[in-house]
Every structure is written in structure tokens, then in C-alpha cells.
Amino acid sequence: MPTVDADQPTRAAGPSGTVLTGTGTLLRFMLRRDRIRFPAWTLGLTLMMTYYSTAIGGVVQSPEDLEGLSAFSGSPAGALFGGPGFGFDELTIERFLAGQYGLYMFVGAALMGLLTVVRHTRAEERSGRAELVRANAVGRHAQLTAALTLAAVMGVLVALLVGGLMTALGYGVGGSLLFGAAIGAVGLAFAAVAAVTAQLSEYPRAAGGIAGAVLGATFLLRGLGDMAAVQGNGPSWLSWLSPIGWSQQTAPYVHDRWWPLTISLAFAAATAAVGFTLSARRDLGAGLIPPRPGSPRAAGWLAGPLALAFRLQRASLIGWSAALLVSGLAYGSFTQPILDGFADAPEDLVAVMGGSQDMLAGFLGLMGLTMAFTVAIFAVLAVHALRGEETGGRTEPILATAVSRPAWIGSHLAVTAVGVPWLLLVAGAGMGIGAAVSTGDAALIGDLIVGHVAHTPAVWFVLTAAALLYAAAPRLLPAIWAVLGYALIVGFFAPILDIPAGAVHLSPFEHIGEYPLDEVRIAAVLVLTVLAAAVARTAVAAFRRRDLTSSA
């Protein structure tokens, strides 16, 4: 196929065209393609904030209730899962919402921004559609400009919706608008990050994976910096290395500082400029990091769908392993300082940590649950990659050979299923080593490995549920994120939000137990494993019956 000459980055698109010619047309086309994704992201984030507000409003009935919330949120663990806790010494509901739940809004906006840009840039090039578009009167930078504009529009809309929601609930107008703007700023910052990563690799999965790794690194930096800030010692400046941290430093309803958002906007502008510069230095469809040339002859063990599935997921497994190991070591090293901060913990905080005065076991069990949710994200993304293989037109040629449909989808699920306990083991080992160094108790290494790996069946259930959605109704696959989000809210905040026991038990992560705080429930492990196998079998059967799709 013909390619665009990288030596002519500023060539006009036509007799009177510029590098931005056709941007408006492409933007309208992207809005048309995202007619479902656009409202799903913007309204979904707003509804999430609506739920948080409603739930907290129903739970907090007295000053004593606010005092209990303040005890947890102002602790190192609260900083890890929420933020630095501005104004928690005189806590109000709006301060709690912005300071504790704002973090999850920031992460959601970041995912919205980076996934939108990758979808409309690198994924379009990979599918071949971008080349057809560029054959018309379209400037070289029009595609990336339109994608960034779309991400900015989504971020602004989320900012207005959330700001309007908080204002309608009776909270301060200035703080509400600032809170919404802080959410939108994170989305814009990571859209710009994706504008850079989309130039690096020719594969959408790699571009999204690199951007996701940046998000994970900034989340880790923010967590370490915020825990240090709450403890009053340590590298609290790490929070200022994170776009998430910049939005948290606005401190809505407390200090109402707008100036940290100028850092976010400057970062987004500078990073986007880098993306435009890099896009002018490569051919259409190519990446700045060339793929490593393979051997002229394939090894014998590669002749099969299982080997192909492993090769496709190998880079992802390596990246996730490294990230989880580093995260485990970092968070584990804060074990002793966190325990010191839990001296004379109030009853509500004890409930969050498992309802036991054994704060060490409660914290380690909670961290095992946290890593289980993280690995569940890996599993869901692996199923999304299956969808990408199909819509990219790479599945159909494989199935045209002697490879059957059950073999193809089964191989991918098998590789992901094996990767789940491996990643949990790596995370547990890292956490155990960090905790052992922090507390001087080497026995924690074994306890944490067991506690992490025990969550494998729950993650398998999420994996197979995602596979069933993909196999039976691929357009509904994004709904699995709502399921995972519900499980996360239940797992972390059920004691605070007073969620009924029946609703809590809907989460697969609530049945195995948070070892070492709880004993591992072998019966739950077996039941979840059998259920996951049954759902996987149903997914394979459903995939055999439906037609393949060749476009997103």
C-alpha cells in the first residue's frame, strides 16, 4: 500500500490546503462513530459521581458519622486509596466526596482521554481506514487534531456535568466548578499522553498499553507522595510529578486553587505538541519504534493457536509483571508507617480494615484485594484485545485455516487464565518483600503470596464474564467495566456506605476472604472456579454461533 512521505510533514492537502485541512469533517465523523461511546463515557462518569453523592448523603446523618469518615480518609491508607485529604480536620460531605472519591473520577477521565485518542488515531491507521481518508483533501495533522479535540470536548462536558451536579446538590458553586474542571484536566492530560504513545508503535494495543503504563506510574507516584504527606515525613513532592496529583492539589471546597490546573494545561499542550512533532517524522501506518525483526523460520512450538495467543500477550504479561512487582514493593514498604498511623483507630476505620484490631492483617488483606482488582483489569483488557483482533480483520484469516473457533478463543482465554495467578503471585511477592523489609517479619512474604493468589478464581470469573459478553454480544463488552467498578466500590467502601449484605455478596471478590485477615474459604474457591469454567464453556459455544465482524 502507498504511504505518506515522512520527509514532507508540512505539505498542503490540496491546492489551498493546510496540515489541518479536513479537521472539522473528521471530527464530525468521529462524533458519529462515537455516538454510543461519547454519552457512555460522559454520562457514565457523571452517574458515578451521582451514586457517590447519594450514597454518602444517605450514610452521613450526624457529625459523628463525619468524624468516622475523617478518621479513615486522613490516615495513610486513606491517602493511598483517596488522596491527601485537604480539609479533613473539619470534614464536610463535599470535601469528602472531592477528596476521597475524586481520585476514581480522575482515573476514569484519564482512561476516557487516552482510549479515545488511541481509537481515532493509531487504531484507524492499523485498520487501513486512515490511509483511505488521507487519500482525500485531508491535512497531515487533521486526524490527531480531531481526536484531541474530541477528547477535549468530552473532558469539558464531563467537567460541566459534574460541576453542575455538585452545584445542584447544594455545594459551593466555585468548588463544584473547580472539581469538575480538575476531572476534565486529567482527561485532557492523558489524551495528550496518548497522542505521543500513538506515534511510538504501529499497534494500537501497544500504544494504549504504554499510555496505560504512564497512568499507572503516575497513580503510584501520587499514592506514595500522598501517604508521605499524611504522615508528615517522606517524599511528599512525588505527588507533584503526577497529573492526577495536580488535580488533587486544587483542593476543591477547601482552598479552591485554580492555578495547579495551569500545570495540567501546560503539560497537555507541550505533550500534544510533541505528539504532532513525532507524527511528522514517521510514515503513515508505521511507528517510531520499529518492530523487532523475527526469525526467518518459525520454531515448531509456534505452530498453533495457543502459541499465537501467547505471542500476542507476551509483551503485555511482561509489562504487567514489572508494574505489579514495583507497585507491590513500593506499597509494601509503607506497611509499618501505615500501622503506626493506625494507633487508636476509631471503629469505622477498623471496619474498613476488616473489622479486626489486627491492623496488619487487615491492611495486607486489603492490599491483596486491591491487586486482585488490578489483575482483573488486565484480564478485561485481554478480552478487549480479542475484540480488536476481530475488528482489525486478523481473526478471519486464522479461522480460514484448520484452526477452529473454539481453539482460537479457547487459546486466548487459556493464556490469560494462566497469566492471572502468575500476576497475582508477582504482586504478592513484591508486596511481601516490601512488607517484610518494612516490619522485619519475613513470614509476611508467604502470607501475602497466598493471600494474593487466593483471589485467582474471582478474577477468572470476571475474565469469563467478559469473554461471554464478547462472544455473545461484542458491542456490550464495555459493560464489564460497570461490573468491575461495582465490585471495587463494594470491596473498599461497603462498611462506610452501609451497603446491604445481599448487594455485597453479588461481587465475586467478597467470597474467598482477605487472607491473612480471613481464612481462605476453600468452598468459595471451588465454586467460583467451577462457575468460571461453566461461563467460559458458554462463551466458547456462543462464539461458534455468531458472525464475525470486520469493523469497530
Side-chain angles (χ1 to χ4, degrees):
M1 284 193 280
T3 57
V4 175
D5 188 356
D7 295 331
Q8 299 180 7
T10 60
R11 184 181 60 187
S16 60
T18 69
V19 292
L20 297 180
T21 298
T23 299
T25 302
L26 284 176
L27 178 58
R28 290 193 295 272
F29 173 66
M30 292 175 185
L31 286 168
R32 166 67 179 170
R33 287 195 63 208
D34 282 3
R35 60 190 180 278
I36 296 177
R37 293 180 76 256
F38 189 103
W41 273 112
T42 54
L43 295 180
L45 289 173
T46 307
L47 289 174
M48 183 185 301
M49 198 65 225
T50 302
Y51 169 77
Y52 291 150
S53 304
T54 304
I56 291 298
V59 170
V60 176
Q61 303 293 335
S62 65
E64 289 74 19
D65 294 333
L66 277 175
E67 184 178 348
L69 295 176
S70 176
F72 169 70
S73 302
S75 68
L80 172 63
F81 294 113
F86 291 111
F88 280 16
D89 51 342
E90 298 180 4
L91 190 62
T92 60
I93 294 178
E94 60 267 34
R95 289 179 178 180
F96 180 79
L97 288 170
Q100 193 67 32
Y101 292 108
L103 173 63
Y104 303 98
M105 299 295 294
F106 297 150
V107 172
L111 291 172
M112 176 185 71
L114 70 89
L115 292 175
T116 297
V117 171
V118 171
R119 169 180 167 83
H120 290 294
T121 55
R122 176 53 65 181
E124 289 293 283
E125 292 187 38
R126 185 64 181 170
S127 68
R129 288 188 292 267
E131 188 167 14
L132 296 176
V133 171
R134 291 281 290 275
N136 297 283
V138 175
R140 182 177 188 89
H141 294 326
Q143 188 103 28
L144 181 55
T145 302
L148 287 171
T149 302
L150 176 60
V153 169
M154 295 172 75
V156 170
L157 184 57
V158 168
L160 293 175
L161 289 173
V162 172
L165 167 69
M166 301 298 281
T167 301
L169 291 173
Y171 307 134
V173 176
S176 298
L177 294 178
L178 176 58
F179 181 47
I183 296 171
V186 175
L188 187 58
F190 281 95
V193 169
V196 174
T197 62
Q199 317 307 323
L200 302 181
S201 172
E202 64 184 69
Y203 301 105
R205 185 186 306 174
I210 297 172
V214 174
L215 173 59
T218 58
F219 186 93
L220 175 62
L221 289 172
R222 176 220 59 83
L224 296 177
D226 289 347
M227 283 195 294
V230 168
Q231 294 176 105
N233 59 74
S236 59
W237 52 268
L238 289 174
S239 298
W240 288 96
L241 300 180
S242 167
I244 298 176
W246 302 332
S247 286
Q248 288 184 322
Q249 291 297 325
T250 59
Y253 308 111
V254 184
H255 303 305
D256 286 345
R257 298 185 296 212
W258 286 86
W259 65 263
L261 296 186
T262 62
I263 304 176
S264 300
L265 296 178
F267 172 83
T271 307
V274 172
F276 282 111
T277 301
L278 295 179
S279 71
R281 286 169 167 73
R282 65 176 181 85
D283 288 338
L284 184 67
L288 293 173
I289 302 176
R292 183 171 58 89
S295 171
R297 293 181 177 274
W301 66 273
L302 290 175
L306 187 63
L308 174 63
F310 171 73
R311 286 297 296 269
L312 289 175
Q313 297 193 46
R314 181 177 60 181
S316 178
L317 283 167
I318 293 173
W320 277 86
S321 298
L324 288 172
L325 179 61
V326 172
S327 298
L329 288 169
Y331 288 137
S333 64
F334 274 82
T335 300
Q336 190 58 52
I338 285 178
L339 295 179
D340 294 339
F342 280 151
D344 300 322
E347 183 178 347
D348 287 338
L349 180 53
V350 171
V352 172
M353 302 303 292
S356 169
Q357 290 297 336
D358 188 352
M359 286 291 121
L360 176 60
F363 171 70
L364 297 181
L366 191 63
M367 288 307 303
L369 182 64
T370 301
M371 291 301 183
F373 285 127
T374 305
V375 175
I377 294 174
F378 155 80
V380 172
L381 290 176
V383 179
H384 275 277
L386 279 182
R387 171 76 168 150
E389 289 293 305
E390 180 180 346
T391 58
R394 293 179 290 277
T395 299
E396 192 169 3
I398 294 174
L399 297 180
T401 66
V403 177
S404 66
R405 287 192 176 208
W408 183 79
I409 189 174
S411 296
H412 282 275
L413 291 179
V415 171
T416 306
V418 171
V420 166
W422 162 252
L423 292 177
L424 287 171
L425 186 150
V426 169
M431 184 76 186
I433 293 172
V437 172
S438 177
T439 63
D441 185 0
L444 293 178
I445 299 177
D447 289 342
L448 278 161
I449 289 177
V450 172
H452 281 61
V453 176
H455 290 288
T456 296
V459 182
W460 278 345
F461 185 82
V462 173
L463 166 65
T464 55
L468 180 58
L469 284 174
Y470 161 68
R475 290 186 178 275
L476 298 180
L477 177 56
I480 193 64
W481 293 112
V483 175
L484 190 57
Y486 174 81
L488 185 146
I489 293 172
V490 167
F492 289 155
F493 304 112
I496 293 179
L497 299 180
D498 197 23
I499 298 176
V504 171
H505 291 154
L506 292 176
S507 169
F509 296 90
E510 294 300 314
H511 301 282
I512 292 175
E514 298 177 15
Y515 187 85
L517 177 63
D518 305 316
E519 291 296 327
V520 177
R521 303 182 185 101
I522 302 301
V525 170
L526 295 176
V527 169
L528 281 171
T529 301
V530 171
L531 286 176
V535 175
R537 184 183 181 90
T538 305
V540 171
F543 185 68
R544 295 181 64 178
R545 292 193 295 268
R546 74 166 174 85
D547 293 333
L548 296 179
T549 57
S550 58
S551 60

